[in-house]
Amino acid sequence: MLKMTTGFVLGIVLGLILGPSSDILAPLGKLFLNLLKMIVIPLVALALMVAVNHSNPRELGRIGLKIFPFYIFATGVSVVLGIFLAKWTHPGVGLSLPSNAQVVVPEKPSFMDTLINMVPSNVFSALSKGDILAVVFVSIVVGLAILFLRHSSNDREREMGELIFRIVDAANEVVTKILNGILQYAPLGVVGITANTVGNQGMDLVIALSKFIGTSYIGVILLIIVVYPIMMKVFGVQVLKFYRDVKEAMFTSFVTSSSLGTLPITLKCAEKAGIGERVARLTLPIGATVNMNGTALRFGVAVIFAAEITGLHFSVGDLATIVIIGTMAAVGTAGVPGAGLIGMSIVFTQAGLPIEIVALTAGINILVDMVFTLGNVTGDLVGAKIVDQTEKGHPDHDNVENT
């Protein structure tokens, strides 16, 4: 991520020096965008299948019916918060894409079409078209099928389930390695996009991205000091004590920019916060993969940022559709550094926005990834704590007292 920031700074310098001649660097950015498009679908599909299998059917049935509605609700609220804040700060006003960017704006689906298309009539068509809502739906269904095979009483089914899961898990690791490779090239792509934009627009880009960063930090701060406390108070959680207990995980997530990398610390803090082991070990690994509240807020900010750059205006129905798309994209975004760029590509494509704008924000990714991951991990722990509160008194609940 530090390399991307360096690429961003270098792109600004080259753009100011070369001016309009910086067009010669544009192909570097185009290649970066193509790489992002290439990895989106396999990353989302495989990560979700693996995440679903971090449990067993019995626990997933009872606890899952509690935690997944929280994930969807909290993520949706985060998208809405990001949209409202960006509407207030106007981060993209005064900025436009270079005239040579060859922007292709996809057709925007209607709200009803978005809901209906979540269940595809042709799985392979949905995969080839990059229909993220359909991909999320199919991936969860396939993941659940694998999970039930792995826990079947039939030896043959159990063996087949384990075999398929090992293949999916291995494929997920392969895709993660590819993503890491793309992120190694990313600094050059950032140089190309940034230099090309600055060369045509000067310091307007720097001002706009500063607003993007400020809006992002304000949003996550509001999540932590307003949205999450309200949710916890409803279920009788002592908010200040909870935050004291989980502060180590919050700090680690901010430094590492990785929900999955912070997971061992998150589990340790969950125990300190009095969250039962069964609840923590089921919800937190899944949450580190699918519960991306901070990332969802990023999508809300980014959509308005992109709309202002392109001059598009969204109706209330369009914004409602974007909330659904942003929620599903956040659910499908892996909890590793840099994966937020993939999620933004998904949202922009589905919302009818050019993904060229994704590369404009890649240079500041290290700055915003930290705070968005803080929002993600804190949301995971808040969800686990709320579910744990509802599990008290259940025979299978761990008798863990707050310390």
Side-chain angles (χ1 to χ4, degrees):
M1 293 300 110
L2 181 59
K3 292 179 182 178
M4 270 203 274
T5 303
T6 303
F8 175 65
V9 174
L10 180 59
I12 292 175
V13 173
L14 289 175
L16 293 174
I17 293 173
L18 297 175
S21 299
S22 60
D23 292 349
I24 61 173
L25 298 174
L28 293 176
K30 182 63 176 176
L31 179 57
F32 178 44
L33 294 173
N34 288 346
L35 289 169
L36 287 177
K37 293 176 185 177
M38 177 189 76
I39 201 67
V40 163
I41 296 303
L43 183 69
V44 170
L46 293 167
L48 281 175
M49 290 183 207
V50 171
V52 169
N53 278 270
H54 285 154
S55 60
N56 66 61
R58 185 171 65 87
E59 291 181 341
L60 186 64
R62 189 182 80 251
I63 298 177
L65 286 175
K66 298 177 181 180
I67 194 62
F68 278 104
F70 169 84
Y71 290 162
I72 299 299
F73 176 75
T75 303
V77 168
S78 300
V79 177
V80 172
L81 179 60
I83 289 173
F84 272 102
L85 286 174
K87 282 283 191 180
W88 173 55
T89 60
H90 300 293
V93 169
L95 194 64
S96 61
L97 285 174
S99 58
N100 66 340
Q102 296 180 343
V103 174
V104 177
V105 180
E107 182 182 352
K108 291 186 292 184
S110 68
F111 178 76
M112 189 55 63
D113 285 342
T114 299
L115 292 178
I116 293 173
N117 291 337
M118 287 182 66
V119 182
S121 59
N122 186 317
V123 173
F124 298 102
S125 175
L127 290 170
S128 64
K129 291 179 181 178
D131 188 343
I132 184 60
L133 299 183
V135 170
V136 168
F137 176 80
V138 171
S139 300
I140 291 175
V141 169
V142 173
L144 288 172
I146 295 171
L147 176 65
F148 278 91
L149 279 175
R150 292 176 62 214
H151 291 85
S152 172
S153 57
N154 184 292
D155 291 341
R156 180 174 175 274
E157 289 185 355
R158 192 163 56 250
E159 289 174 5
M160 291 172 63
E162 289 295 342
L163 174 62
I164 296 172
F165 176 70
R166 285 197 296 271
I167 293 172
V168 170
D169 195 24
N172 186 50
E173 289 296 324
V174 170
V175 170
T176 302
K177 291 293 183 185
I178 294 173
L179 174 60
N180 290 338
I182 291 173
L183 293 178
Q184 291 301 311
Y185 170 76
L188 287 177
V190 171
V191 169
I193 291 285
T194 307
N196 192 20
T197 305
V198 172
N200 286 274
Q201 301 183 63
M203 293 301 291
D204 287 345
L205 173 64
V206 178
I207 295 171
L209 291 178
S210 297
K211 288 183 180 179
F212 188 99
I213 294 170
T215 304
S216 302
Y217 274 75
I218 291 171
V220 174
I221 289 171
L222 288 176
L223 273 180
I224 292 174
I225 68 173
V226 177
V227 177
Y228 292 154
I230 291 174
M231 293 178 177
M232 288 189 283
K233 278 294 185 182
V234 170
F235 291 90
V237 178
Q238 298 178 34
V239 176
L240 292 179
K241 184 181 187 329
F242 172 79
Y243 278 143
R244 284 198 299 270
D245 291 337
V246 303
K247 64 181 182 295
E248 186 180 356
M250 294 173 67
F251 175 76
T252 304
S253 66
F254 185 82
V255 172
T256 63
S257 300
S258 173
S259 299
L260 290 172
T262 307
L263 187 55
I265 306 297
T266 307
L267 289 166
K268 177 183 174 183
C269 288
E271 181 181 357
K272 186 176 181 182
I275 299 172
E277 184 178 1
R278 284 178 181 271
V279 172
R281 293 200 173 275
L282 173 64
T283 62
L284 293 177
I286 295 177
T289 306
V290 305
N291 183 46
M292 301 291 162
N293 305 148
T295 302
L297 188 143
R298 172 193 193 140
F299 297 160
V301 175
V303 161
I304 301 303
F305 177 71
E308 290 175 343
I309 290 174
T310 56
L312 294 178
H313 298 282
F314 292 118
S315 66
V316 174
D318 291 334
L319 291 175
T321 302
I322 288 169
V323 170
I324 295 175
I325 293 169
T327 302
M328 293 298 101
V331 167
T333 301
V336 295
L341 295 176
I342 304 296
M344 283 178 64
S345 302
I346 294 169
V347 175
F348 280 21
T349 300
Q350 299 293 313
L353 293 165
I355 73 164
E356 282 78 1
I357 298 173
V358 172
L360 290 180
T361 67
I364 59 169
N365 208 51
I366 187 173
L367 299 176
V368 293
D369 249 10
M370 295 188 296
V371 75
F372 290 139
T373 307
L374 170 62
N376 294 343
V377 171
T378 306
D380 295 343
L381 284 161
V382 169
K385 183 63 177 177
I386 288 174
V387 171
D388 188 71
Q389 290 288 101
T390 67
E391 283 287 293
K392 288 180 177 178
H394 193 279
D396 289 336
H397 184 260
D398 304 275
N399 292 318
V400 181
E401 297 296 329
N402 260 319
T403 57

